[in-house]
Amino acid sequence: VNLTQAFKMAFKSIWSKKMRSLLTMRGIIIGIAAVMIIVSVITGANKKQMEYYESMGTNKIHVTATLYNGGDAFSEVYTYCKSIDMVLGVTPSGTVSGTVKYGAKNSASMEWPPSVYLGSDQYALCNNFQIERGRDISAVDIEKYNAVCVLGARAAKDFFDAADPVGKSISIDGTAFTVVGVYREKDPNPQYSLDNLIVIPYTAQRYLPASAGDMSEFVVKAKDAPSVSKVIALLNGNFGSWSQLGKGDFWCYSDQQWQNDSNQQALMMS
């Protein structure tokens, strides 16, 4: 049977059983369309996730560290990171529990209250924020335990509307903090927004109740993507033995690791 005869026989078979052929074709078309839609949705979701993490800051290493004796784990991590050329900045990233007030506005009554973070003078660098008004937290603020804060664009809008917050005071768990700056907007999400935050010097935690803040979470900013894995290896090499030595707990990971895992899962699904 030559190719021409084969085509004629196939066409004759399809034409003689139109309904079955139509149903078969419909099943194939629906199956292909479903696969294309699934792949498109997964690709779009990964793209959105990547954009989200890039807005949070790239080349970030998240560190969890605690000392069993209650000592200052951040100082040890910070001092060590200063000796690594591939590290651009280090900051705590723990949050503070407590009510934020300004005038008649109260975070306890807000549907989306701001998160209050403990930060160093490198918080903005590590988390991809830029100052729009006023100034950022400085090394002097850290050294002098200054009760100051910087507001995200969403927090500034929620508490001050269109007014300029710089120079005004807000209350965090009953302690007055002077607003010295406002970060530029980078996430206009009307609900959960990266801009809905307040950053205070981590040393100013002394003015808040002992249980108010968490100083076990840090962010280390590497200078570029290839440096991330190298810095993680150095950190694990220096602090990874804490648990075995009975000194404390240490763990670190990068957003790139999480994203790579997500991409692998997406490829398997597609």
Side-chain angles (χ1 to χ4, degrees):
V1 181
N2 59 36
L3 188 61
T4 302
Q5 290 177 324
F7 271 112
K8 288 180 178 179
M9 292 174 63
F11 181 78
K12 183 177 181 181
S13 177
I14 291 172
W15 189 255
S16 64
K17 299 174 182 177
K18 300 183 185 65
M19 183 58 66
R20 188 168 66 178
S21 300
L22 179 63
L23 292 174
T24 300
M25 290 175 59
R26 188 176 67 174
I28 293 172
I29 292 170
I30 291 174
I32 293 174
V35 171
M36 292 177 64
I37 290 171
I38 291 172
V39 171
S40 298
V41 169
I42 292 174
T43 302
N46 281 339
K47 182 179 179 181
K48 285 293 183 182
Q49 287 178 340
M50 182 62 73
E51 291 174 352
Y52 178 79
Y53 279 104
E54 286 179 351
S55 69
M56 293 175 67
T58 55
N59 308 325
K60 289 168 57 175
I61 301 166
H62 299 273
V63 176
T64 300
T66 55
L67 292 170
Y68 295 152
N69 64 4
D72 186 0
F74 176 70
S75 293
E76 294 205 26
V77 174
Y78 181 79
T79 300
Y80 179 69
C81 286
K82 284 178 65 177
S83 68
I84 305 175
D85 293 338
M86 294 177 288
V87 172
L88 297 180
V90 188
T91 181
S93 60
T95 57
V96 171
S97 60
T99 303
V100 181
K101 297 180 181 179
Y102 176 73
K105 296 192 176 182
N106 187 321
S107 63
S109 60
M110 293 180 176
E111 182 179 4
W112 299 95
S115 297
V116 181
Y117 287 94
L118 300 168
S120 72
D121 56 313
Q122 297 155 25
Y123 184 91
L125 170 65
C126 292
N127 293 283
N128 198 30
F129 283 101
Q130 295 180 330
I131 286 291
E132 182 175 55
R133 283 174 283 176
R135 66 172 178 84
D136 205 351
I137 291 172
S138 68
V140 173
D141 293 325
I142 304 295
E143 181 182 352
K144 300 295 185 182
Y145 308 93
N146 290 340
V148 297
C149 65
V150 179
L151 307 182
R154 170 69 180 275
K157 181 179 179 181
D158 286 350
F159 282 96
F160 294 91
D161 297 316
D164 186 357
V166 176
K168 298 180 173 63
S169 292
I170 62 173
S171 170
I172 302 177
D173 216 22
T175 300
F177 283 80
T178 302
V179 179
V180 295
V182 178
Y183 291 128
R184 183 174 299 151
E185 182 182 69
K186 66 175 183 177
D187 180 16
N189 190 319
Q191 296 179 334
Y192 179 78
S193 171
L194 296 174
D195 296 319
N196 196 13
L197 83 165
I198 300 170
V199 183
I200 67 173
Y202 71 89
T203 52
Q205 184 185 14
R206 59 162 48 190
Y207 305 123
L208 302 172
S211 60
D214 176 14
M215 275 293 291
S216 64
E217 303 288 333
F218 320 125
V219 170
V220 177
K221 172 88 167 183
K223 68 177 182 179
D224 52 34
S227 299
V228 171
S229 58
K230 297 176 183 178
V231 174
I232 288 177
L234 289 172
L235 290 171
N236 283 326
N238 194 73
F239 301 108
S241 61
W242 275 11
S243 180
Q244 295 177 348
L245 297 174
K247 182 177 180 179
D249 294 317
F250 182 87
W251 182 64
C252 64
Y253 73 98
S254 73
D255 289 335
Q256 288 169 285
Q257 289 175 321
W258 185 93
Q259 187 62 40
N260 288 338
D261 291 342
S262 296
N263 289 339
Q264 288 296 324
Q265 292 177 359
L267 287 172
M268 291 175 63
M269 292 178 64
S270 60

